Amino acid sequence: MRVLLLGSGGREHAIGWKLAQSPRLERLVSCPGNPGLDDLGDIAPDVDPIDPEAVLQLSIERDIDLVVIGPEAPLAAGVADRLREARVAVFGPNADGTRLESSKSFAKEVMAAAHIPTARSVTFSDREAAVLHLEETEGPYVVKADGLASGKGVLVTESLEAAIAWVEECLTGRFGRAGESVLIEEFLNGDEISVFYICADGEAIPLEPARDYKRLGDGDTGPNTGGMGAYSPVPDLPDDLVEWTTLNVTLPILAELHSREIDYTGFLYVGLMLTDDGPKVLEFNCRLGDPETQVLMPRLESDLLTVLNAAATVGITGQNLTWSDRAAVDVVLASPGYPDDPTTGLGIIGLERVSDAIVFHAGTQHTDAGLMTAGGRVLNVVGVADTLEQARADAYAAVDVIEFTGMRFRTDIADRDAVSRKERGAT
Ligand code: AMP
Ligand code: GLY
């Protein structure tokens, strides 16, 4: 099969790496791709992946059998809609289903209709009303830009002043149109976990859960980022967590969407907080997690291409996924200044000296002067081993030989003490 993969991040490199292992793959084309994906097939760096017509043209020119959409932006822009209309097989929801991610207020409305446990929230587009609401509630405060903000539109703070300032920043354009309205949400306490699905025709196949690290600094300090690392499997989760999530979140959401005439085919990411009152949904995304995908793909034994193609064409009844017992740990190497103002164009050295780890590219670029940084999150260094401890040791050993100016990373990804402290419910 000839597959077109949209996206250019570490998640897409990991998906492409897995697709490339399929005996059914004839050619992988990535748009716009990155240097890692370039090594796995062709790239189409000059085609805009969020332009539906341009993606359709590329699919036709390259005689593509299946389009797999990695990030949310092409989905929100209606790329899947256009491909379906033209009868090109595509894995990824239409723009209407993508609203689960692109509008947090829509997600809340659908969750309320489907009786799905989530934090209480109120949506505001008026500053005065939002501030009054904050003043009447107790901290910690959770303030979210309603629309897409690359994981950076959420502030969780003890400070009323900071919460008010965030409302103002959102409403005055810090996140563009994504911040035209804000949600003020009940604070949920607990451990977070990401559960993923491949969905089609109201059915859902779960992937393994993974845990990511959203804060920039060690010990979960600093601003929220797109994600600074991840690991899987996650020890000591409730045994029935995935089954609970399938029955209480995923299938009801798909049914609720269906009742609104939204047919959802694609990945679904359920972000959960494991609270004392049981799991509650923090967010939905219409894609896999980044960096969670980078630890899931190395553990997946089944042929991903077969399942995604089935979802996009005949449905997933009878399909399943099998997983290895091995552990994977991903350490993200980020640019100086990330997440607010990453410096790019810095030379990267040492990749050829990496052994015993997989390196997935994210913000990198080939230039005449060699490999350079080209984004906030630059590389994902993934150790895969029989135990979480060994996978972590392998990942950090590889991190040690990679260098670029101002490279920053967390040193506590999958740290055993930190992991078990979390599992015991300490904060
Ligand atoms: P979101 O993009 O909505 O998942 O929010 C980003 C991050 O902010 C989450 O991964 C949590 O760490 C944190 N967060 C979001 N909502 C809440 C909440 N209601 N209570 C506590 N933390 C939250
Ligand atoms: N790892 C968080 C996300 O992909 O949104």
Side-chain angles (χ1 to χ4, degrees):
M1 291 183 66
R2 289 172 297 271
V3 176
L4 172 61
L5 173 63
L6 298 187
S8 62
R11 168 185 50 217
E12 286 75 34
H13 188 189
I15 293 172
W17 174 87
K18 183 65 194 168
L19 291 174
Q21 292 168 17
S22 172
R24 299 178 63 188
L25 186 80
E26 185 185 320
R27 172 167 305 141
L28 180 69
V29 181
S30 303
C31 168
N34 66 31
L37 286 159
D38 197 5
D39 289 342
L40 296 171
D42 296 345
I43 55 170
D46 300 325
V47 176
D48 182 358
I50 66 170
D51 177 343
E53 283 313 317
V55 173
L56 177 60
Q57 279 317 312
L58 179 65
S59 314
I60 294 168
E61 273 162 28
R62 302 293 182 103
D63 206 8
I64 293 296
D65 301 302
L66 174 70
V67 181
V68 177
I69 304 184
E72 63 278 16
L75 298 168
V79 169
D81 304 58
R82 184 69 190 100
L83 293 168
R84 284 200 175 91
E85 215 174 75
R87 301 197 175 280
V88 176
V90 54
F91 185 76
N94 283 351
D96 53 7
T98 305
R99 289 183 70 212
L100 277 185
E101 173 170 0
S102 65
S103 167
K104 288 183 187 288
S105 53
F106 175 75
K108 287 287 183 189
E109 181 202 318
V110 176
M111 280 191 270
H115 308 290
I116 290 169
T118 183
R120 286 188 303 272
S121 85
V122 192
T123 306
F124 297 94
S125 47
D126 174 59
R127 177 198 173 277
E128 303 307 320
V131 170
L132 197 64
H133 180 80
L134 282 172
E135 284 169 350
E136 283 169 355
T137 31
E138 289 192 357
Y141 304 93
V142 181
V143 182
K144 302 184 173 185
D146 193 5
L148 293 177
S150 306
K152 297 165 202 154
V154 176
L155 182 73
V156 181
T157 179
E158 299 273 352
S159 152
L160 177 63
E161 291 69 38
I164 292 174
W166 196 256
V167 165
E168 280 164 357
E169 285 197 50
C170 288
L171 294 179
T172 54
R174 173 171 175 155
F175 301 107
R177 295 199 52 198
E180 279 177 357
S181 55
V182 293
L183 276 75
I184 297 176
E185 215 174 86
E186 170 197 12
F187 174 79
L188 298 178
N189 199 12
D191 284 335
E192 286 184 60
I193 188 77
S194 315
V195 185
F196 305 96
Y197 293 86
I198 290 173
C199 305
D201 306 322
E203 294 184 81
I205 304 173
L207 281 72
E208 288 273 280
R211 180 164 277 145
D212 82 339
Y213 290 72
K214 290 213 166 75
R215 299 290 191 120
L216 181 67
D218 282 359
D220 290 333
T221 53
N224 270 322
T225 68
M228 294 298 291
Y231 62 93
S232 177
V234 183
D236 303 330
L237 287 176
D239 282 343
D240 64 344
L241 179 71
V242 172
E243 200 187 340
W244 182 92
T245 309
T246 307
L247 294 177
N248 293 284
V249 179
T250 307
L251 294 178
I253 272 289
L254 295 176
E256 177 61 30
L257 290 176
H258 184 73
S259 77
R260 298 170 184 230
E261 297 182 357
I262 298 174
D263 286 316
Y264 191 101
T265 296
F267 292 116
L268 181 67
Y269 166 142
V270 182
L272 291 172
M273 187 73 93
L274 305 177
T275 75
D276 289 343
D277 297 336
K280 294 193 179 176
V281 175
L282 282 174
E283 63 165 343
F284 290 117
N285 295 309
C286 299
R287 50 174 174 83
L288 289 183
D290 185 341
E292 292 97 321
T293 309
Q294 291 87 309
V295 292
L296 292 178
M297 293 300 111
R299 297 192 54 228
L300 178 59
E301 290 176 338
S302 312
D303 182 29
L304 182 66
L305 179 51
T306 296
V307 184
L308 298 189
N309 186 51
T313 54
V314 295
I316 51 176
T317 308
Q319 299 283 344
N320 65 359
L321 297 175
T322 57
W323 300 87
S324 93
D325 289 335
R326 303 193 88 205
V329 173
D330 177 18
V331 180
V332 170
L333 306 182
S335 295
Y338 179 72
D340 288 335
D341 187 18
T343 307
T344 56
L346 305 165
I348 303 169
I349 56 171
L351 284 189
E352 68 293 342
R353 291 200 288 139
V354 170
S355 58
D356 288 334
I358 308 170
V359 177
F360 292 124
H361 290 243
T364 66
Q365 192 183 3
H366 278 309
T367 71
D368 292 344
L371 192 68
M372 296 278 186
T373 65
R377 291 186 291 174
V378 177
L379 293 165
N380 298 263
V381 183
V382 184
V384 185
D386 287 342
T387 63
L388 217 44
E389 288 76 18
Q390 189 58 45
R392 168 179 154 77
D394 289 351
Y396 278 106
V399 167
D400 266 351
V401 303
I402 302 173
E403 256 180 77
F404 53 87
T405 307
M407 174 173 111
R408 65 173 310 161
F409 58 90
R410 281 184 63 156
T411 65
D412 62 350
I413 306 300
D415 176 84
R416 205 173 57 151
D417 291 341
V419 169
S420 57
R421 230 185 3 261
K422 260 179 172 292
E423 299 309 335
R424 286 199 311 273
T427 50

